[in-house]
Amino acid sequence: MPILTANLGLAGPSSTTLFALSQLFSGDPAPAPAVRYNGGGFPRICLKNAVSRRPFCFRGLVRASVSVSGDAWTRDGEGGAATAGAEAANGVPYPDAERQARWSADWKAARAYNESGLIYKGRVEGFNGGGLLVRFYSLVGFLPFPQLSPSYSCKEPAKNIQEVAKSLIGSVVPVKVIQADEDSRQLIFSEKEAVWSKVSGQINVGDIFQARVGSVEDYGAFVHLQFPDGLYHLTGLVHVSEVSWDLVQDVRDILSENDEVKVKVINIDREKSRITLSMKQLEEDPLLETLDKVIPQDGSVNSDASSTNSSSKIDPLPGLEIIIQELLQEEGIEDVRINRQGFEKRVVSQDLQLWLSNAPPTDKKFILLARAGRQVQEIQLTTLLDQDGIRKALQRVLERVP
């Protein structure tokens, strides 16, 4: 990396020299700073901080040479976070006052970026076992690998993270400052947060994306969303309960890293930068698709279903008996009985689920469905209540049942 040197003398620095010095402090193109002289005839050079825009001035004698080394970082152990630092190119530290003034100004800038949430574009100068080393003015901060945008790994899935990191050296990446602690010299960046600020406004609940599976955990899979530009900018979670209508014991039985899937956005937490996704909601609930086959409406019996008109011959699903007893205590419900039952071809949930019919009561008769495992039971209510009244009665019952 080039070493920038500014030689300043008492006779008054040139505009070129002042411009080079301003680059050291701002990191952005800026006009030459103002030069003023104090009563003793020494130059007073004022530079504007790139973030606060407030002048930063040197008074009196100015050091003859100001340099920035390309190797201005240290790290706490292999794979640990880089510690922000700066030193002279020849290895000789800056005079304490000059170095402290410079560091203080840049740490102040880092805190301003952290508090404002603004995006900074930093150059990647290297990497270690845990992440990238990114230049921030005279400081070098740390971009952990988990905070990288998923676009790199999705673009070239055959590359490991070290190969991706090596290919990024010299490139400029957008980041947000997520930690700026001058006392511990910890300057931490996130590219994910920067990308979220840029593209999250393009997604809404209900949107459907082509996606690629990232990591797979016990509780679900993290999935990278592909945007119209072909890149995978954001990552969401498909919870284990949203993978399939079938009962999923282990997500890894269904999904593997780099699988191509289609997902639906079902929730966006913009405050926490989180997206919840579903695969199963792109398909109809199999119970609703096959209800007529599971429990034939003509009362016939097939190999996967049985029917009867006597509730005493059907054992209620676990937990259903107490619900039936409580329903009979509700005003307006005259009778509750299990009318018939059937069996699905696959397990949807081991837990007891209750479903209200979409049809209103007819001749004081209303149908409620109970399902658990593969078993489905049709419950007939004799009631004076309308559909909304039945819903409220069932809600009160479920609040009472432990």
Side-chain angles (χ1 to χ4, degrees), residues 48-121:
K48 285 188 177 180
N49 183 276
V51 176
S52 66
R53 316 308 296 177
R54 295 179 179 176
F56 179 83
C57 300
F58 289 99
R59 298 176 183 271
L61 287 171
V62 181
R63 184 173 182 268
S65 178
V66 178
S67 304
V68 177
S69 168
D71 185 18
W73 60 273
T74 58
R75 64 186 180 189
D76 298 327
E78 184 64 29
T83 303
E87 60 183 354
N90 58 7
V92 179
Y94 296 120
D96 289 345
E98 182 181 327
R99 178 176 61 183
Q100 187 58 48
R102 180 175 183 177
W103 282 9
S104 295
D106 290 345
W107 277 112
K108 183 176 181 181
R111 289 192 295 272
Y113 270 94
N114 179 227
E115 293 167 2
S116 67
L118 293 175
I119 295 174
Y120 176 82
K121 292 184 178 180

Side-chain angles (χ1 to χ4, degrees), residues 117-119 143 146-150 174-178 189-200 233-234 270-274:
L118 293 175
I119 295 174
L143 173 56
Q147 291 298 325
L148 276 175
S149 164
V175 295
K176 276 191 175 184
V177 177
I178 59 175
F189 301 119
S190 172
E191 187 184 17
K192 279 185 176 180
E193 288 296 319
V195 174
W196 173 273
S197 296
K198 184 178 179 180
V199 303
S200 62
H233 292 298
L234 299 179
R270 300 192 185 277
E271 184 176 343
K272 296 182 178 180
S273 305
R274 293 177 182 174

Side-chain angles (χ1 to χ4, degrees), residues 91-164:
V92 179
Y94 296 120
D96 289 345
E98 182 181 327
R99 178 176 61 183
Q100 187 58 48
R102 180 175 183 177
W103 282 9
S104 295
D106 290 345
W107 277 112
K108 183 176 181 181
R111 289 192 295 272
Y113 270 94
N114 179 227
E115 293 167 2
S116 67
L118 293 175
I119 295 174
Y120 176 82
K121 292 184 178 180
R123 186 174 299 278
V124 179
E125 297 201 341
F127 66 94
N128 61 25
L132 303 179
L133 305 167
V134 179
R135 171 68 62 179
F136 183 87
Y137 303 134
S138 67
L139 308 175
V140 173
F142 187 61
L143 173 56
F145 287 140
Q147 291 298 325
L148 276 175
S149 164
S151 59
Y152 308 114
S153 59
C154 290
K155 183 179 180 180
E156 298 180 284
K159 282 188 175 182
N160 61 41
I161 192 62
Q162 301 295 326
E163 292 173 322
V164 171

Side-chain angles (χ1 to χ4, degrees), residues 361-380:
T362 303
D363 297 329
K364 298 174 58 176
K365 306 295 183 185
F366 183 80
I367 298 300
L368 178 69
L369 290 176
R371 66 193 294 191
R374 293 179 55 241
Q375 198 169 359
V376 181
Q377 294 183 346
E378 183 184 82
I379 304 166
Q380 180 178 284

Side-chain angles (χ1 to χ4, degrees), residues 242-400:
E242 292 295 331
V243 172
S244 172
W245 286 108
D246 289 335
L247 179 65
V248 178
Q249 299 285 2
D250 190 339
V251 184
R252 297 171 185 83
D253 292 338
I254 299 176
L255 296 175
S256 300
E257 187 175 351
N258 292 323
D259 282 352
E260 296 287 342
V261 296
K262 185 178 287 187
V263 293
K264 180 179 180 179
V265 178
I266 60 174
N267 187 59
I268 303 173
D269 188 333
R270 300 192 185 277
E271 184 176 343
K272 296 182 178 180
S273 305
R274 293 177 182 174
I275 305 171
T276 306
L277 306 168
S278 176
M279 292 170 58
K280 79 176 188 181
Q281 291 192 28
L282 292 174
E283 303 176 355
E284 289 291 336
D285 182 341
L287 174 65
L288 302 180
E289 286 181 343
T290 62
L291 180 60
D292 290 348
K293 296 179 181 178
V294 173
I295 305 178
Q297 297 303 301
D298 60 3
S300 62
V301 179
N302 59 39
S303 59
D304 288 321
S306 63
S307 66
T308 179
N309 291 321
S310 174
S311 61
S312 61
K313 295 181 180 180
I314 300 178
D315 293 328
L317 291 169
L320 182 58
E321 186 173 7
I322 188 172
I323 291 175
I324 292 175
Q325 294 172 358
E326 290 294 328
L327 280 171
L328 289 170
Q329 303 303 314
E330 289 291 318
E331 185 176 354
I333 297 181
E334 300 175 357
D335 186 41
V336 180
R337 66 177 61 201
I338 300 174
N339 205 37
R340 52 184 176 171
Q341 69 177 350
F343 296 89
E344 298 184 78
K345 293 183 178 180
R346 54 183 180 176
V347 173
V348 175
S349 173
Q350 294 288 11
D351 299 326
L352 177 65
Q353 298 178 341
L354 296 175
W355 298 69
L356 290 171
S357 170
N358 291 325
T362 303
D363 297 329
K364 298 174 58 176
K365 306 295 183 185
F366 183 80
I367 298 300
L368 178 69
L369 290 176
R371 66 193 294 191
R374 293 179 55 241
Q375 198 169 359
V376 181
Q377 294 183 346
E378 183 184 82
I379 304 166
Q380 180 178 284
L381 276 63
T382 302
T383 178
L384 300 174
L385 302 175
D386 60 13
Q387 191 176 34
D388 186 57
I390 296 169
R391 182 180 293 107
K392 291 179 180 178
L394 183 59
Q395 183 177 355
R396 289 192 295 269
V397 166
L398 294 179
E399 289 174 353
R400 296 197 301 267

